[in-house]
Amino acid sequence: MSQAFDVVVIGAGPGGYIAAIRAAQLGFKVACIDEWKNAAGGPAPGGTCTNVGCIPSKALLQSSEHFEHANHHFADHGISTGKVTMDVAKMVGRKDTVVKQNNDGILYLFKKNKVTFFHGRGSFVAAAEGGYQVKVAGAAEEVITGKQVVIATGSNARALPGVPFDEENILSNDGALRIGAVPKKLALIGSGVIGLEMGSVWRRLGAEVTILEGLPTFLGAVDEQIAKEAKKAFDKQGLKIELGVKVGEIKTGKKGVNVAYTNAKGEAVSLDADKLIVSIGRVPNTIGLNAEAVGLQLDERGAIVVDGDCKTNLPGVWAVGDVVRGPMLAHKAEEEGVAVAERIAGQHGHVNFNTIPWVIYTSPEIAWVGRTEQQLKADGVAYKAGTFPFLANGRARALGDTTGMVKFLADAKTDEILGVHIVGPMASELISEAVVAMEFKASAEDIARICHAHPSLSEATKEAALAVDKRTLNF
Ligand code: FAD
Ligand code: NAI
């Protein structure tokens, strides 16, 4: 007899494993299936985020930032180190340890919450009475049933047409996180989130980095003023970003990679590099799910079609995270996972898409929530803007990191906060205050009137809120 569950979750990335835990907390009998294997062939739950995404990239960003500080900034503090060297194998090994701690943490959480974990590929067999049959193809093969199924199968890196990833010379995010030695020359295609984060890691470690971007504008989704400030900082660091290029032929050989492209002036350029990272976005992953067997509807991009509540076209089948519409972010996947589990339980789970924060973990960090100035203009919304530079913030001066600013956008009439945009130190942490404020529909004046600790970077947030009303105290 096949094992029967109330809820079967396919995929144990942030969307899936969080949905499974929340469903178990709500009293359901839950199974979670995930096929990711670690180097020894064992289970490695956590998905892209844990294995080849958020977590390992932040580990490498941290190591490379320490290296950069030791090389270039310690001297300002009176610390001399002599020649600083980087053991790349050790850095990558540390990153792998951090990943494993997270994989093990999820397995522990499954046990703690009594979620039954299956290691293998999950695919639909057929609709069954009161639910669905799902095959698990792992070390052994078995069919389980679920009254409700949550699909959280994530996404894969998008390759350039005709240029598959070989993970040796032409790298996706996976290979980019496993480079064994600092390349002398590193090329990247796409100056989005991965391009900037990975480009920063290897630039800090000494690679000559060139990022080729197809669009004529830098970080088009980011508030223009913030993107401009960030670009200035990256230029100063020597991160070479070429905008408005058209990538042509890509050849690989013993010596690495050659990228032929046309630059913004229309000139033909040939770029040699030891490695090429292609970071041009990601595609939803439904490979091996056997969606056809049950008539699950996909759109033209291969994403699973869902409504605002993450319901698919099939009764009792839900989908969350990167495999559905919306931003491809771990915290968005998690929130959808929680909301779906609660909806299955008859509760009113909710995800507010207007307050999902974005963070780019470069130095300076870039973080934002809500609408940009250009969006407000396009939407015809009357707004007030207030900015405050970190240059005028005491804590930033003490840290030795005064790049960037905090920017508030508030409704001209009601003063409700419509967007907060930060480029600068610890923007990733500072943005939380703005998210909370927007969730509570706060006005800029609410933030301006709240006591913020001194000296702290968060005072720049308060001052930017004061700036909306043209009454900064420290600038
Ligand atoms: P995934 O994390 O992709 O998990 C899907 C899981 O399902 C995988 O484990 C996969 O093996 C499994 N699976 C797929 N099909 C099957 C099947 N048929 N049977 C069994 N298992 C299956 N987001 C952030 O918010 N912050 C960041 O800092 C950040 N950094 C990133 C850095 C990089 C380099 C990359 C590539 C991404 C980053 N992201 C970041 C994005 C984030 O990783 C994704 O948004 C997030 O992982 C999506 O979660 P998910 O659960 O939808 O899917
Ligand atoms: P992206 O969408 O952020 O950036 C892709 C870039 O490539 C864009 O600027 C696009 O214009 C450019 N591009 C596309 N096709 C091109 C071509 N043929 N030639 C030149 N340029 C081209 O995608 P990226 O960086 O691959 O990351 C994927 C997703 O992963 C992100 O959108 C984000 O959702 C997630 N992610 C989130 C992170 C975070 O939250 N800190 C970190 C890394 C990834």
Side-chain angles (χ1 to χ4, degrees):
M1 254 258 314
S2 69
Q3 294 191 67
F5 294 89
D6 297 319
V7 181
V8 170
V9 182
I10 307 177
Y17 91 79
I18 290 291
I21 289 173
R22 185 72 188 117
Q25 282 176 348
L26 290 164
F28 293 112
K29 186 177 174 198
V30 182
C32 186
I33 310 166
D34 192 276
E35 63 179 344
W36 207 295
K37 288 182 185 150
N38 61 24
T48 301
C49 171
T50 300
N51 292 296
V52 291
C54 327
I55 301 298
S57 60
K58 266 78 253 178
L60 296 188
L61 279 157
Q62 189 61 50
S63 300
S64 59
E65 189 153 17
H66 283 320
F67 183 71
E68 174 131 302
H69 279 292
N71 259 323
H72 301 293
H73 305 301
F74 276 11
D76 298 342
H77 296 262
I79 305 167
S80 47
T81 54
K83 188 171 160 41
V84 178
T85 57
M86 170 53 89
D87 180 340
V88 173
K90 190 152 185 191
M91 173 185 79
V92 172
R94 174 187 175 274
K95 178 263 299 178
D96 291 340
T97 305
V98 173
V99 168
K100 184 162 187 320
Q101 286 165 345
N102 281 272
N103 296 142
D104 291 348
I106 295 166
L107 289 171
Y108 161 78
L109 289 171
F110 281 160
K111 263 204 188 119
K112 182 181 160 204
N113 288 283
K114 301 193 173 51
V115 172
T116 307
F117 177 67
F118 291 89
H119 188 211
R121 172 166 288 187
S123 58
F124 281 105
V125 178
E129 198 164 325
Y132 296 85
Q133 289 181 322
V134 177
K135 182 168 84 182
V136 185
E141 211 172 271
E142 62 184 300
V143 174
I144 61 176
T145 60
K147 289 182 195 153
Q148 306 272 331
V149 177
V150 182
I151 303 166
T153 46
S155 63
N156 291 318
R158 185 156 80 86
L160 283 163
V163 189
F165 297 113
D166 60 20
E167 304 300 1
E168 258 311 306
N169 290 310
I170 300 175
L171 314 176
S172 70
N173 57 295
D174 186 358
L177 291 158
R178 292 192 272 115
I179 297 177
V182 181
K184 208 162 163 292
K185 289 186 174 183
L186 175 68
L188 297 97
I189 300 179
S191 74
V193 199
I194 295 179
L196 291 172
E197 291 187 357
M198 287 297 103
S200 293
V201 166
W202 297 103
R203 195 238 1 115
R204 290 169 187 167
L205 299 181
E208 193 183 314
V209 176
T210 307
I211 309 181
L212 303 176
E213 167 59 46
L215 292 177
T217 37
F218 178 63
L219 287 180
V222 175
D223 184 272
E224 267 170 27
Q225 192 179 3
I226 297 293
K228 216 166 137 196
E229 192 74 13
K231 178 79 169 42
K232 241 180 6 194
F234 297 141
D235 288 346
K236 209 165 141 197
Q237 293 165 5
L239 195 63
K240 196 169 164 209
I241 302 165
E242 278 213 51
L243 300 173
V245 311
K246 193 165 174 356
V247 174
E249 200 180 356
I250 295 177
K251 288 190 232 153
T252 56
K254 275 201 184 121
K255 283 194 175 156
V257 193
N258 176 270
V259 184
Y261 67 94
T262 311
N263 68 15
K265 292 185 206 142
E267 298 158 341
V269 185
S270 165
L271 175 71
D272 286 316
D274 302 294
K275 306 263 179 204
L276 170 70
I277 298 173
V278 177
S279 47
I280 56 167
R282 297 179 64 79
V283 286
N285 169 36
T286 52
I287 300 165
L289 198 57
N290 202 17
E292 322 74 69
V294 284
L296 179 68
Q297 193 187 347
L298 310 182
D299 70 12
E300 62 293 346
R301 290 183 319 128
I304 296 174
V305 177
V306 289
D307 66 7
D309 286 348
C310 292
K311 277 187 186 149
T312 69
N313 65 314
L314 302 173
V317 179
W318 312 73
V320 301
D322 281 11
V323 78
V324 304
R325 79 301 169 253
M328 289 186 170
L329 294 172
H331 41 284
K332 175 263 192 184
E334 290 183 18
E335 292 306 315
E336 286 184 333
V338 167
V340 161
E342 292 178 352
R343 285 175 197 135
I344 290 173
Q347 298 181 0
H348 301 281
H350 177 66
V351 181
N352 184 356
F353 278 86
N354 297 324
T355 54
I356 294 175
W358 275 85
V359 179
I360 306 178
Y361 293 82
T362 44
S363 179
E365 291 186 343
I366 305 164
W368 71 97
V369 58
R371 281 186 280 177
T372 61
E373 197 164 348
Q374 61 267 27
Q375 279 172 332
L376 292 176
K377 278 184 187 151
D379 294 348
V381 178
Y383 65 91
K384 301 176 284 181
T387 59
F388 187 82
F390 284 108
L391 199 63
N393 174 272
R395 183 77 196 281
R397 286 194 202 117
L399 288 172
D401 193 353
T402 52
T403 314
M405 68 177 87
V406 180
K407 172 171 179 175
F408 264 65
L409 297 167
D411 188 280
K413 223 182 190 166
T414 64
D415 198 37
E416 183 182 340
I417 303 167
L418 302 174
V420 177
H421 306 269
I422 309 174
V423 54
M426 288 292 163
S428 55
E429 301 296 331
L430 294 175
I431 201 65
S432 292
E433 180 180 5
V435 177
V436 173
M438 285 183 65
E439 273 290 338
F440 284 87
K441 297 211 167 290
S443 63
E445 188 175 354
D446 287 327
I447 299 300
R449 288 190 177 276
I450 290 172
C451 181
H452 288 66
H454 176 76
S456 71
L457 297 170
S458 70
E459 287 172 293
T461 305
K462 176 189 171 98
E463 291 273 4
L466 280 165
V468 168
D469 205 22
K470 298 195 173 31
R471 55 188 183 99
T472 52
L473 297 164
N474 283 286
F475 188 62

